[in-house]
Amino acid sequence: HQHDTYASFSNMTVEGSIYNACWERIQDLQVTLDNVRLTGAISSTVANHVDAEGKALPVGFLIDQNVVDAHLGIGRLKNVPAPSVNNELTLTLKGGSQWTVTKTSYLDRLTIEDGSSIQGKVTVDGAPVSGPGAYAGRIVVDPA
């Protein structure tokens, strides 16, 4: 098990996505949004290296580190939201945070404090939930 990674954001309005795709072993991500308005996805993912056109590279493809633009090949990734395997994601919304979901997202633990909200449909182990609370299980958050 790798050490958990913590990402805390506060006092901002932002568009973008937060993904947890681990490189090896078990690598969990704990995200806290405090007085944040975020529009995007927050999810565990499967990540694949892609070529310049966005096509997935074949399994076992070797990115030659001696090529001048090797960094571009290493840095080109496509994240596809998916339930966690060894990359759990915990999300805490507090301080009036609002998450507007733009793509189906997968979480393992979710805490929504009073005054915070999700603009989307939340299910835990297949059952719909809403409002403040602490949830754990297979959490799926779909756009509204």
Side-chain angles (χ1 to χ4, degrees), residues 6-7 28-29 40 42 54 102 113:
Y6 300 87
D28 298 342
L29 174 62
I42 303 173
T102 59
E113 293 187 0

Side-chain angles (χ1 to χ4, degrees), residues 18 45 92 121 133:
I18 301 170
T45 69
T92 300
K121 298 177 226 166

Side-chain angles (χ1 to χ4, degrees), residues 22 31 42 46 61 68 72-73 91-92 113 116 122 125:
C22 72
V31 176
I42 303 173
V46 172
F61 183 86
V68 172
L72 296 175
L91 174 63
T92 300
E113 293 187 0
S116 295
V122 181
D125 296 328

Side-chain angles (χ1 to χ4, degrees), residues 30-143:
Q30 297 186 31
V31 176
T32 300
L33 303 181
D34 185 0
N35 188 33
V36 171
R37 304 286 181 270
L38 182 132
T39 300
I42 303 173
S43 184
S44 296
T45 69
V46 172
N48 292 304
H49 287 280
V50 296
D51 63 17
E53 287 76 43
K55 182 180 174 189
L57 296 175
V59 174
F61 183 86
L62 177 64
I63 298 172
D64 187 348
Q65 65 184 3
N66 296 315
V67 174
V68 172
D69 66 351
H71 66 287
L72 296 175
I74 294 168
R76 284 189 194 109
L77 293 172
K78 180 178 182 182
N79 284 286
V80 177
S84 66
V85 176
N86 56 353
N87 56 328
E88 290 189 0
L89 199 148
T90 297
L91 174 63
T92 300
L93 300 173
K94 63 184 197 175
S97 290
Q98 182 178 348
W99 173 26
T100 301
V101 183
T102 59
K103 184 183 285 187
T104 298
S105 298
Y106 300 89
L107 310 170
D108 296 280
R109 284 173 296 288
L110 170 64
T111 300
I112 306 170
E113 293 187 0
D114 287 333
S116 295
S117 63
I118 295 176
Q119 303 304 311
K121 298 177 226 166
V122 181
T123 60
V124 179
D125 296 328
V129 298
S130 64
Y135 308 100
R138 289 285 185 178
I139 302 169
V140 179
V141 187
D142 288 307

